Amino acid sequence: MATSNGQANALADALSGIVGRGHLLTRAAATRFYRTGFRAGVGDALAVVRPGSLVELWRCLELCVRSDVAIIMQAANTGLTGGSTPAPGGYDRPAVVISTRRLKGIVPIDDGRQVVCLPGATLHELERVLHPLGREPHSTIGSSCFGASVVGGVCNNSGGSLVRRGTAFTEYALFARSTGNGGIELVNHLGIDLGEDAVTMLERLETGAFDPATVREDGRSASDTGYAARVRDIEAATPARHNADPRCLHEASGSAGKLAIFAVRLDTFEAETDTRTFYIGCNDPAALGALRRHILSDCAMLPIAAEYLHREAFDLADTYGKDQFLLIERIGTDRLPRFFAIKNRVDGWLPANLADRLLHAAGKLMRDHLPARLRHWRDRFEHHLLLKVSAEAVPEIRALLGDWAATADGDSFECTPEESAKAFLHRFVIAGAAIRYQAVNAKRVAGGLSLDIALRRNDDQWFETLPPDIERQIVHRIYYGHFLCHVLHQDYVLAKGADPAAIKAAMLTGLDARGARYPAEHNVGHAYDAAPELARFYRSLDPANLFNPGIGRTSRLRNHGESR
């Protein structure tokens, strides 16, 4: 919705007075990175503001409320459904994006058994803080390499690759929420005594100036406890996890931007210091499904991770993810977010997709990056599984895989440390490779479609068979995911002339018939309808519809008015 130049200038001046002129962005080129989703979605914003302290964040929120603007809270902007960027088409009022990237801070408590994380803290930073303490966070690979935030994971109930840990979840948080009369209030449910005044509370939290004796254990949960038993229930006709599961919707957890989160308190986990990885190949989906059931029902100890990739995903990552693979190897994960921020800026200056084509061409000139045994397994087998286990579980897994291979069209080998690292990195770059393929071949394809789905735990027909009328409209099917949890990512590159909306609708109808849930890990964003219970949850968190209006295709209007 348009606003007068005078109003816009007044709000911009007031915001810059809080955060400083250098951290208030208004030009379209400067705000592009914050208005554009990682994979999809772009909207308009009056301004992007980047507070440098929790008190600045609080004051920005108060000002935005008084100015009657929609507020889009944004952490790392690594989601796949446009859920942390302004909605395409806008709102009934201007929107301001508040980026929390500068709000770093991690405070270990109870010798690192728990942590308090501020909204800009990333998973990678949390790994680094916990490493000397022999602890690790809920998620240790995957999106952490793109600088995904800890708070973003909680807000989206993200799952990740670790089999034993379920969704990112906590009942301990400090947040701001809208009130029924259109105001805003600060709520301290961290279980830490910080005082009563908002500014004092936020200053004490940010500086760590609180008495450890005031940290309370009151029976609430700081992680998804009980998930290991849940994932083992292979006869259940429901998914093990998905991000709209009512059991994991609580205040900050699953809030998807409907609250302004200042901090979360989370459990950490004892680090696995001695692990082994088995690389498994198979040509029969049913045999691989049977192996999953054996592992979950018969093994005394659950694996650490079980990552699936299909041969076509292997090939696409090999060709179109090679430069990203080598970039991560050479510069490390902590510098990767900065690289992508620079690339996003360069993309705004160059002809469409030119930067992606240049990076792809550079990758083709570089050395072969994959171990010989991985390539050999690629030639032998259609389906691939990376199984990481604790050292004490190795004898049992070796025996199980030996018995399985004796009757299945499959085989396995135990990876060297280098093979393991490269295999997991190869699996990780698949999502980026799918995006890169579309960018490089933009004139020859109709774009892409990305689904992340949670299958029923008892679904034996886990590998998708597409109807012929859909199959012929697809150039590439890219399947990968968290196999034991039955959470799969399914990306499709569509042929020129295909109708993405019609294909997606048909696929979702098929998934509904199978009892699957979607999306599994990246929130509904602006790409999916929120289920009724999820829409009610959003409305209970934000009665004024102040934060992230329209998420899950709900109302974008003040106070959840009827959509126009």
Side-chain angles (χ1 to χ4, degrees), residues 317 320-322 324-325 328 424-434:
Y320 291 89
K322 181 179 178 181
Q324 188 180 114
F325 181 108
I328 294 170
F424 275 100
L425 183 51
H426 185 61
R427 153 65 183 90
F428 167 68
V429 301
I430 293 172

Side-chain angles (χ1 to χ4, degrees), residues 37 66 73 75 157 161 210 258 263 267 310 350 355 363 536:
R66 292 196 301 270
M73 297 300 303
N157 281 152
S161 63
F210 54 84
K258 297 301 287 181
D267 288 334
H310 184 257
L350 298 177
R536 287 192 293 270

Side-chain angles (χ1 to χ4, degrees), residues 205 300 375:
L205 176 62
R375 293 201 177 280

